[in-house]
Amino acid sequence: MRAADWCLSSAGAAVVLATSSDEQHPAENMADGSSETFWTTTGMFPQEFIIGFPKCVKISKVTIQCYLVQTLRIERSISKDPVDFEECIEKDLQHTEGQLQMEEFPLPDFQATYLRFIIKSAFDHFVSVHRVMAEGTAENT
Amino acid sequence: MVKLAAKCILAGDPAVGKSALAQMFRNDGAHFQKNYTLTTGIELLVKAVSVPETSDSVEFFIFDSAGKDLFSEMLEKLWEQPNVLCLVYDVTNERSFNNCAKWLDKLRAQAVGVHIPGVLVGNKTDLVGRRVVEQKQAQEWAEKHGLEYCEMSVKEMKNFEAPFHILAKSFHQLYKEKVETFHSLA
Ligand SMILES: Nc1nc2c(ncn2[C@@H]2O[C@H](COP(=O)(O)OP(=O)(O)OP(=O)(O)O)[C@@H](O)[C@H]2O)c(=O)[nH]1
Ligand SMILES: [Mg+2]
């Protein structure tokens, strides 16, 4: 088994929902493997996005690179469709002036077909999410 | 093309014309409510305006607040995470102008460390003979407190869209600045 980042469009992941859309900064930018491109929220909170995996994967660590995010909640689903989410973790992040927030969430191994990220509040009117990673191994099928 | 969404707090003393403004704006000037019905709690109205010289727009979620609730704690809950402020006073009512400081303090306490674009609006300019607050005085106060300024008469349907156009422009500007910041991070 090899460790991998499942939140890459090149690995078959896709952002299936995002509550904000600016065509200059689309949600796909979170799954393109680059920290330079980003998705922006365009208004009131909460805001959320859902990333879908091509199959059920095992995850042990989730990482997010973002800016101005205050309260973040991560949920997972093991359904075929993006429904029946259950909470993995909720955390208040630190404000890092002029620097990306790099938040690692080591989690007990869990399975997921979808990950949902809910940005409940922020340090400003808008936030950016530059990259999301979910490290783990492929489930044997 | 982007559609921004802004929580717009509409505040000011009782009977200055906040609800009249919100209704008029939403209905594109179709109806002026002559009889006074005081607002209790908060009324929510949604309306989008486009930002001049762009293909972008701002959708306002207008929280029309009750003037009698200046000192109510309930407001604090309803005003959480505001984006922009539309502060109205009545140009024939000095007290409503003096109370703007209190309204502004209350709003700013909701968003410590975050810049909230705001506009001070003098309403009822149609009542020329009864005017007691001069434009110059109000404009200076607004400037001193980092607010834009405009005057209107909802009754005569004059300038009632101006506050929202001003706010849309400011909010859009904020967004563009933030995106620049996001670019500089990576
Ligand atoms: N002459 C004149 N009267 C106005 C104008 N705008 C509103 N009014 C009147 O002022 C009264 C109060 O208006 P509202 O819009 O209900 O006041 P409000 O600020 O919402 O008051 P609260 O809900 O109690 O906070 C009504 O009788 C309106 O018809 C205006 O431009 N000129
Ligand atoms: Mg009212």
Side-chain angles (χ1 to χ4, degrees):
Chain A
M1 287 196 298
R2 67 192 171 87
D5 173 12
W6 291 112
C7 287
L8 285 171
S9 43
S10 57
V15 181
V16 299
L17 177 144
T19 48
S20 279
S21 87
D22 178 345
E23 57 194 19
Q24 311 241 18
H25 305 285
E28 298 85 69
N29 284 353
M30 295 185 284
D32 65 357
S34 158
S35 305
E36 268 165 44
T37 57
F38 51 85
W39 170 69
T40 57
T41 63
T42 57
M44 306 179 318
F45 295 93
Q47 295 273 343
E48 69 172 77
F49 59 91
I50 296 174
I51 295 183
F53 306 112
K55 60 185 171 192
C56 191
V57 296
K58 200 194 264 172
I59 295 169
S60 54
K61 188 167 88 179
V62 176
T63 306
I64 185 166
Q65 298 180 353
C66 52
Y67 192 56
L68 298 173
V69 173
Q70 187 166 17
T71 308
L72 176 70
R73 179 187 167 106
I74 303 175
E75 298 178 346
R76 62 123 190 200
S77 164
I78 48 169
S79 305
K80 227 174 127 265
D81 298 309
V83 292
D84 300 329
F85 282 91
E86 41 187 284
E87 174 173 348
C88 297
I89 195 166
E90 180 168 327
K91 193 182 170 186
D92 281 327
L93 312 194
Q94 292 286 327
H95 179 40
T96 53
E97 183 65 42
Q99 237 181 316
L100 278 183
Q101 294 165 304
M102 306 253 195
E103 282 294 324
E104 285 192 0
F105 300 95
L107 295 162
D109 276 10
F110 68 95
Q111 295 179 313
T113 46
Y114 294 94
L115 282 182
R116 175 187 196 182
F117 296 79
I118 305 171
I119 300 162
K120 291 179 134 183
S121 62
F123 293 106
D124 212 319
H125 300 283
F126 310 105
V127 310
S128 58
V129 179
H130 296 244
R131 197 171 170 191
V132 178
M133 286 172 273
E135 279 171 53
T137 48
E139 268 302 273
N140 294 328
T141 45
Chain B
M1 199 191 80
V2 55
K3 187 180 202 174
L4 304 176
K7 175 168 178 173
C8 174
I9 304 296
L10 181 53
D13 268 14
V16 296
K18 298 180 297 297
S19 299
L21 168 63
Q23 300 294 340
M24 185 67 83
F25 176 60
R26 186 184 53 188
N27 302 322
D28 298 307
H31 182 66
F32 174 69
Q33 176 76 39
K34 220 165 155 239
N35 299 325
Y36 173 42
T37 330
L38 97 169
T39 306
T40 50
I42 273 194
E43 275 173 47
L44 175 64
L45 296 95
V46 184
K47 168 135 184 183
V49 301
S50 50
V51 182
E53 287 152 43
T54 69
S55 53
D56 303 336
S57 61
V58 178
E59 185 164 49
F60 286 109
F61 292 75
I62 302 169
F63 283 62
D64 177 13
S65 312
K68 69 172 174 54
D69 281 346
L70 176 54
F71 299 105
S72 126
E73 291 186 3
M74 187 191 60
L75 263 199
E76 275 148 48
K77 190 80 202 141
L78 295 165
W79 281 16
E80 270 178 9
Q81 302 206 56
N83 293 121
V84 297
L85 169 68
C86 181
L87 181 52
V88 184
Y89 74 95
D90 172 349
V91 297
T92 71
N93 177 341
E94 182 141 37
R95 191 190 149 83
S96 74
F97 174 65
N98 292 336
N99 272 339
C100 285
K102 294 194 185 113
W103 285 107
L104 186 59
D105 282 351
K106 198 168 166 118
L107 189 275
R108 296 248 156 107
Q110 291 290 120
V112 181
V114 182
H115 169 63
I116 307 290
V119 59
L120 176 67
V121 188
N123 186 32
K124 309 197 187 180
T125 54
D126 54 286
L127 302 173
V128 185
R130 286 171 46 195
R131 180 164 190 147
V132 291
V133 183
E134 291 313 316
Q135 166 157 8
K136 188 160 175 286
Q137 174 191 6
Q139 192 145 17
E140 279 171 9
W141 188 87
E143 228 163 85
K144 195 171 129 212
H145 290 86
L147 301 172
E148 303 266 0
Y149 183 72
C150 68
E151 296 193 347
M152 66 180 180
S153 163
V154 180
K155 186 179 177 192
E156 292 187 340
M157 296 198 264
K158 248 170 69 188
N159 223 22
F160 67 92
E161 286 174 317
F164 298 100
H165 287 137
I166 290 170
L167 291 173
K169 219 172 136 205
S170 308
F171 194 59
H172 184 256
Q173 183 60 30
L174 262 187
Y175 178 69
K176 288 203 310 197
E177 286 168 17
K178 271 288 156 303
V179 169
E180 280 307 305
T181 307
F182 298 154
H183 268 297
S184 70
L185 293 171

